[in-house]
Amino acid sequence: MCAVVGIFDSKEAAKVAYYALFAMQHRGQEATGISTSNGSSIKTVKRRGLVTDVFDEEAFKLLQGAMAVGHNRYSTAGSASVLDAQPVTASYQLGEISIVHNGNLVNKNEVRSRLIEEGAIFQSSMDTENIIHLIARSQQERLQDRIVEALEAIKGAYSLLILSRHKMFAIRDRYGVRPLSLGKLPDGGYIVASETCAFDLVGAEFVRDIRPGEMVIFEEGKKAPRSVQLFEPDPRICAFEYIYFARPDSIIEGKNVYQVRQRMGRALAKESASKADLVIPVPDSGVAAALGYAKESGIPFEMAIVRNHYVGRTFIEPTQKMRDLKVKLKLSPMRSVLEGKSVVVIDDSIVRGTTSKQIVRLLKSVGVKEVHLKIAAPPIKHPCRYGIDTPSYEELISANHTEEEVCEYVGADSLSFLSIEALIESIGDKQRYSLVSFDGNYFIQ
Amino acid sequence: MCAVVGIFDSKEAAKVAYYALFAMQHRGQEATGISTSNGSSIKTVKRRGLVTDVFDEEAFKLLQGAMAVGHNRYSTAGSASVLDAQPVTASYQLGEISIVHNGNLVNKNEVRSRLIEEGAIFQSSMDTENIIHLIARSQQERLQDRIVEALEAIKGAYSLLILSRHKMFAIRDRYGVRPLSLGKLPDGGYIVASETCAFDLVGAEFVRDIRPGEMVIFEEGKKAPRSVQLFEPDPRICAFEYIYFARPDSIIEGKNVYQVRQRMGRALAKESASKADLVIPVPDSGVAAALGYAKESGIPFEMAIVRNHYVGRTFIEPTQKMRDLKVKLKLSPMRSVLEGKSVVVIDDSIVRGTTSKQIVRLLKSVGVKEVHLKIAAPPIKHPCRYGIDTPSYEELISANHTEEEVCEYVGADSLSFLSIEALIESIGDKQRYSLVSFDGNYFIQ
Amino acid sequence: MCAVVGIFDSKEAAKVAYYALFAMQHRGQEATGISTSNGSSIKTVKRRGLVTDVFDEEAFKLLQGAMAVGHNRYSTAGSASVLDAQPVTASYQLGEISIVHNGNLVNKNEVRSRLIEEGAIFQSSMDTENIIHLIARSQQERLQDRIVEALEAIKGAYSLLILSRHKMFAIRDRYGVRPLSLGKLPDGGYIVASETCAFDLVGAEFVRDIRPGEMVIFEEGKKAPRSVQLFEPDPRICAFEYIYFARPDSIIEGKNVYQVRQRMGRALAKESASKADLVIPVPDSGVAAALGYAKESGIPFEMAIVRNHYVGRTFIEPTQKMRDLKVKLKLSPMRSVLEGKSVVVIDDSIVRGTTSKQIVRLLKSVGVKEVHLKIAAPPIKHPCRYGIDTPSYEELISANHTEEEVCEYVGADSLSFLSIEALIESIGDKQRYSLVSFDGNYFIQ
Amino acid sequence: MCAVVGIFDSKEAAKVAYYALFAMQHRGQEATGISTSNGSSIKTVKRRGLVTDVFDEEAFKLLQGAMAVGHNRYSTAGSASVLDAQPVTASYQLGEISIVHNGNLVNKNEVRSRLIEEGAIFQSSMDTENIIHLIARSQQERLQDRIVEALEAIKGAYSLLILSRHKMFAIRDRYGVRPLSLGKLPDGGYIVASETCAFDLVGAEFVRDIRPGEMVIFEEGKKAPRSVQLFEPDPRICAFEYIYFARPDSIIEGKNVYQVRQRMGRALAKESASKADLVIPVPDSGVAAALGYAKESGIPFEMAIVRNHYVGRTFIEPTQKMRDLKVKLKLSPMRSVLEGKSVVVIDDSIVRGTTSKQIVRLLKSVGVKEVHLKIAAPPIKHPCRYGIDTPSYEELISANHTEEEVCEYVGADSLSFLSIEALIESIGDKQRYSLVSFDGNYFIQ
């Protein structure tokens, strides 16, 4: 899971990128990086850590120029490689190039094998390297044509920003699986970002979304970007962006995430009403849906689980293990509000089921009479292959168990999921969505 | 502003104190420390920084023993002294002693002057040093009697924990201005803490509040603590603990803070109704009151301002100043929800007015039509002298301006505060409270 | 073991103190601190760590004013307390005071007990606190008289710098056990420091040594310091300063340390000649004496052991223990130079004997035929009680074993020490010295 | 300037590499890295910083396996790229490969251009990437044959270690410009390292030097390495390794560096005697040569400049600039020894002349009457292109000025260099050396 940003024609491109990355850093952060071009060369600073830790005054001395691309990688269990930070910057036939990528290529192993067969070397496991290789090996004269040739060779979900010394390209795959939006900076330059919440912080005005299959070209000396429709659009924006990935104040394809989540909550209330005294969210992920559920059902909404935001990375472990310590460090349910109550608990998803199990146990431990766990999304039965990190089939509890079995495992008194239809309707009925995690319809293969 | 914790007769006293301090660390943290006694000597580790940064494995190697006292100091503009961390540990006639203190002594300058006159030296500006000096200079034979003598000499608000090599004393002033509660640990030991949210994390069971004017004595070898009523109780718990200081899941004097805040919101709705499309809280401080307001008024509640919890300490400043950057790094209002709307905005207090002004401007910038700012507390007209850091009269906007002037300054379309009466009723009618910030009735002088 | 510095009437007093402390930081550093007075208040920054780590730009923002005192504490096995950094700063009857102390009080426990009996509290184990207490409890009106009264109550070795808001006092005990020198800064101000190497770095001109029993008073508004001879001088400068503590370029009582060490080496050659192919020093401590030995004996000098100066604090331990790893990380003998040779090895002292044993073993491992270990000082048979950290009688190998036994323990082919007489003559014949470690003549009791 | 290490068939290969890198870290360190193979995959940890800072317990958890290659890069003015740390690890046709390289390729730009022309991308400016690309593009079936093919395409100085999942290759160019030695570990495995000082620390026994033009192959399951002579040897070991790069206890081509330096000092004394009172070295670089000079000339040797080894990376700058602060932080001349004396000062080289100028000024400032600066090497008139970082012609003072002009610039009373003939004789007469910095004879082009 990643977020990307591109800045064009701004006096302090690197700093604007920095603030944009900061705004988009609302998940556990693993690594971040920024590349800038000053017209004659490209410089890159990237490292593991939070945005505020990676970039210091020294970094900004290096990152000069009016164009920048930046990247946030969010943490995923198991992947700890220091070397897999983006942007990936390389020298090649036409000079220097730097790429950031949000998404996932489904044919990356084939492409990689073929490239390796042809003599290429790979210094990381990132599919971004595939794209650079394809561009470097293209026989086209213009970078733009090389990019097109490279894109024709890859399949998958991608929102790409490509920086050369004089240009910046913003590209979205024909399905538009991962979001990418265009904004205008107060000083006249442009910003392209995965999430519009970045625009708000830097004071940019939303212009429009980059279209599925579109390439937008920002060229030194030209104020307005050019647009080329590379592929016929077949929009299937990832439903997961709405469900849990994006920040609630972001707007994806014209729809505010927070409002979409409220509609999911309302739909959940319609589909699976439970008699209960209270509706409570698992904070922060379930807040919007819980509000929607409460409004639709008329059951009072309470913020009855407190989330501790000061949780650091490293904890001294107690010698005698405290039960459920890890979840209790983050979440604290209020006995005064909950004791003796029947409660509808709203969360955004169940992946492995372990956290839900701990939350149910915590709630019962403060005297909750009945826990009706309601998930504002359908059960995750398939791994996403288009850029959201979901575990394999073996680990996905809903891939291997019925709802009843999951309910029993987590210890809830009842368990409901949103239907796929209601999910679609909540986002907006007109469009198609990437729903692979729910329906296993891998439309890019 | 501080929080204290004491642990008695627990195998890992220092680690239990550490987790308790962690739970109570929900405000900007400045410094923290823990002292332990292993029966033959007292060890102390204290430093500036977050609980998770200050205590490492090396610290816990030093902090051995079954008794511990700990302290969190929250940050206050202007006070940056490294040397003012607690506990304060000293050698004196009876051996070693370590003290943590939450509160403020009103006669500290007189006591300090007198002690200095008598030849004492002060190595910090903390009034905790006063108490140690008084204990050290007492002619009484028993520590307990010395403590009583010291307490007779001081006036003010204090919740104290005093650790000697073999005992721990928990004391609350006769007004009980600052909270202090007693709990029982799963392994049979005891915990005393400023906030009951600490009990939940370490798995302790709430026993009771320490009574105003009470001293509870924990003695090596004796399982049950002894209680001595030192002073006649005249309870006046600080209303500010309910209004904004305590964590919402804490219980103070039997009242859950979150529920009290909801009642304040409800009372606010009754006292100062506004016609509006939405009720929104300033997160996280205004959430509970806003929920109460919404329930009472029937106006829909929306979490329309997103709070970014990843804000680090140090930021690279942009060269061209971004307007309202500081507040925007933390708070982001949602245009989609807010545009064209009349909005009731709920916050817990107005101190200097500058933050409220920035929030109102932010809301207007995303198209809010009308901002009705409602504060779930009375106007702060006087500095608290009993342990809550409030600025001086000059800086308190409500001390120097009418509500109309404040409203104009912050740029809201209307501004309302809760009445003192409604505040009292929201907390609970039977008891008296410390309300000095609102009524200037400095009952301890 | 410590070093102190005082700066008077210099535009950047704190920074000059910082550089002076840096110059004197030639031993394993434990803690450091600086206090400054700006005429109205005293500020202190102190912490564990190297001078360059403790003081940052933020520290210098706090440390304003034209007067400063500073302190380095060197690391000693066992003492790890964060709280024992100097300066010790306190408020007392006459205002504020900050003290740094190099030396050791022999009656500190008695004084401390008496003070505690009278109601004083001690927040550290530093005898510096004794002095502040005595000053604070004095009934004299002037600080100067109070200091004198305090000094009359203490016995021991002390080179003190005392900073008040308007004055600085530099004092040396009547024996002048620890060095203290006066210099003139390029900008007209004054510097007082333990080691003259500090003068060289900051560009100060050596004026003279503070005399045993002298107090030098620096007063705001008066350019020239005043001198008061408090006690009749009975000079007995610590021989250890010459033997191993001071930096070789420092000048103590008019004698350059490096040259004194060379004379010790020469004397050693006269007293205990060995037939050998080479003279080699244990670097860096034995270099000067080895040069003297070589010159006197005519045996060629070789730097045949390389010292690695990049040794960090924390090392990853190998699983299979590498033999003598700790000493090998620091010292590497050259087989090419040493193999098959008889070697005179010069070091400055043997304390516990463990390091010498490892060095002898290392030398043998590269083929040295004979190791004649020669120590450019007499055997240490008694703990120093005047400020040099030496272990207790039990741990001092020469306190419990004959030279033959020590020689056998360390594995050398022969072992020689310098005689006390030769030591005295090497430093300079006219004066008496503190030789307690060698002769057990504790002249201050 | 770099150092490399390879470990084969050792239980804790990564830790042995770590200690070896530590031993070779005797110059300002910029970056370091280690790769290990556990037989099925290669893992790499690399970063800027000191060896002890880069590798922690977490790193060693990743770096499993019995084979390792490691690299130190020393700091060079101007090159600060985070991304240029070695080893370079890549996936390619035959699996995974990791390379460390000490040296410099003279045709790297041509090779790089050709490779880029063929579609390769370069993610750094290191010529190590050239070699990986050449290996990856070779059509040979066996890695060994691919390496040979790659080597045939490159020209320059290289001491290479190449790690595949099952083998390790150690290769030295046919001139043997950069050293590379083979040792046997105590546990039976092998070590290959740039400097033999690494062997001493890890307890390895020196076996022999890798021969110019030789490839040594270490193969899983085979105890003894195989040797292949790839190119006809034409030995021209870099004279600079002896002059200043290597640690004095290292042995290069059978000659101990310290002893070679002493012979240079002796030769200098023969070639350019000066009447003087003392011979002093610029520490630590000039110590060995100064000893040789003193022995040959009979003029007394003194360590009259003290070097401060505690110099940190970042210093707080004084507001009023202290003259020569930078050099004074490191070097302190002793007035007591030097005042009024004529002094022969020995250093290893003059590059830009600025440091020498400061040292001469420092010496004069403590009263040295005459400074006879003698350099134990010929004047550097040409940039080295074979792996020692020397500045360009413009910056090399001796490339643009006569000895008289240089003498006048640095302010010495006389200046002498060693002749090239004496240099050669000092190292050993039988062999040819790389002397490009002195004679401009670029024998690899």
Side-chain angles (χ1 to χ4, degrees), chain B residues 255-266:
Chain B
K255 285 141 199 159
N256 169 249
V257 169
Y258 171 82
Q259 290 174 317
V260 169
R261 288 181 190 166
Q262 280 218 14
R263 287 198 293 270
M264 292 176 193
R266 282 183 180 272

Side-chain angles (χ1 to χ4, degrees), chain A residues 30 75-81:
Chain A
E30 189 177 78
S75 53
T76 314
S79 106
S81 175

